[in-house]
Amino acid sequence: LQVIVDHRDTPLNLPPTYNLPYTDWRFTMSSDNDNNNIGDDNSDKTTKNVSPQHRPSCRPPTNSTYLAIGQDLFSVNEYVSSQYNYSLRRYILAQNHENAKNATTSTDVVTDNGDQTDDDPPSLSSFVPSAFMVYTDLAHLNGLWNPTDYGSGIEYADGLLNSFPSNSDANNQHDQRSHADAGLQIGLYLNGTAGCTSVFTGRLDTQIRSLLAYVERSSASKIFLRIGYEFDNPSFGYGDDPSMYVLAFRKIVADCKRGLSDEALEKVLFVWHSWGAPLSEGLTLERFYPGDDYVDWVGVSIFQQFFPWSPYWGGTVKDVENVLKFAKRKKRPVMIAESTPFGGIELKEASLEAKAFIAGNPHDYYLDDPWERWFGKVIDLINTYDISMWCYIDCDWESQ
């Protein structure tokens, strides 16, 4: 994967005051030496007989962050097109400024060998994110090789991988990657304790083999598999028996190690993903943790936790930081596995709790700056904890 946010340069780019560099990083299998000992990556080789904690973690360079976009076919395409359109407008303005300064109309400088230069406009594929977010459930596996709609848009992993043409042979230096370099971040729903029991007892072995067949043939450069995502979300039903969730998680990982070829297994990373909100009484993160042998990355959701009017069940920044600190103790790279600022951007349509807070604090919460209300705070958190991947859901969640 190549598209990253590099915190060593400038923050991020959507308003004109931010900049999102597209640099030449790809998904690489990183080692302890270049990742400040965050992970236990003691080998540069991956085989079916090597446990996940000894597998390279694919963590990006320090102070850099992969960007993934989801979660439906339309929203991802809209994101890429919007970024491309914005970049072309900036390109035109820059060229007009340069032309006026130099009193020339020439904007296309070509070297003697025919290579194009920095004066060339960026290409569409320059804005393909590092990975695409998709969702499926183990019982049916819809949305991977065939499209489906859960009510929030078309889910279609292969459709996303094939949405953008390959330009790997192009001369344009802005165009250094093809869509085949993109990865997938797959949310794999297990249907609570009942589903986990079916996994552990072997009743879903046929579906697991189908999942492995998909991974085996997928053109994705890396696949981040969020097994039983948001395990601590009460509405998903894993909290009834955390031990069964652990057993199901371990079985899926073990089946992948046994059933995938070395080449396919090398591109799969197993993600343990917390909701980032208060745990139900008697539950702890440790009770849900499958163990270092089975977890490559730790994920956390960020939605309304930054908003002071967030309901108790929605969590706070402290709940998110508890997960980040847990990951640090386990020496695992972190991804923001799901995120979108619902409930805090369009304040005219905000909840009663939000309106009540705003009425009492009219000058305290960036009322005229929706970027700083959420996006800026997420970027600050990424910088503070050197978060390795940011998965952003680019859709109007509240309208769905």
Side-chain angles (χ1 to χ4, degrees), residues 83-95 107-110 116-127 170-176:
Q83 291 292 307
Y84 183 46
N85 183 72
Y86 178 72
S87 72
L88 290 178
R89 288 186 178 278
R90 292 188 65 177
Y91 168 80
I92 292 170
L93 290 173
Q95 290 298 305
T107 63
D108 188 19
V109 180
V110 181
Q116 294 176 304
T117 72
D118 283 334
D119 289 326
D120 300 312
S123 66
L124 180 66
S125 61
S126 300
F127 298 92
N171 290 323
N172 191 331
Q173 70 172 19
H174 296 282
D175 197 12
Q176 298 174 357

Side-chain angles (χ1 to χ4, degrees), residues 268-400:
V268 180
L269 288 305
F270 303 108
V271 183
W272 180 74
H273 171 204
S274 169
W275 191 32
L279 289 159
S280 300
E281 185 176 356
L283 297 178
T284 63
L285 291 174
E286 195 69 53
R287 289 187 63 186
F288 286 100
Y289 190 63
D292 293 346
D293 287 353
Y294 300 91
V295 175
D296 293 314
W297 284 55
V298 170
V300 65
S301 294
I302 297 181
F303 296 112
Q304 68 270 50
Q305 293 99 321
F306 284 113
F307 303 139
W309 52 77
S310 172
Y312 171 79
W313 55 263
T316 65
V317 177
K318 182 178 179 179
D319 296 303
V320 173
E321 290 182 329
N322 286 341
V323 179
L324 300 179
K325 292 173 182 177
F326 185 92
K328 185 175 182 180
R329 292 196 298 272
K330 298 296 183 181
K331 297 184 179 180
R332 291 295 179 268
V334 173
M335 70 166 61
I336 299 174
E338 295 184 15
S339 65
T340 198
F342 73 83
I345 298 300
E346 296 293 341
L347 295 184
K348 292 181 180 179
E349 302 174 5
S351 65
L352 293 177
E353 292 82 2
K355 291 178 179 178
F357 177 88
I358 293 168
N361 304 269
H363 306 295
D364 297 341
Y365 200 65
Y366 303 108
L367 298 184
D368 297 323
D369 191 347
W371 178 266
E372 287 300 335
R373 275 203 300 277
W374 192 84
F375 292 94
K377 293 180 182 297
V378 173
I379 294 168
D380 288 343
L381 192 73
I382 291 173
N383 288 331
T384 299
Y385 287 91
D386 193 19
I387 292 173
S388 297
M389 179 179 283
W390 181 9
C391 306
Y392 179 70
I393 300 172
D394 188 52
C395 65
D396 187 358
W397 192 305
E398 293 174 278
S399 70
Q400 296 178 358

Side-chain angles (χ1 to χ4, degrees), residues 239-254:
D240 299 341
D241 188 354
S243 62
M244 186 54 66
Y245 168 81
V246 168
L247 291 172
F249 193 110
R250 290 176 176 175
K251 184 180 187 304
I252 292 172
V253 173

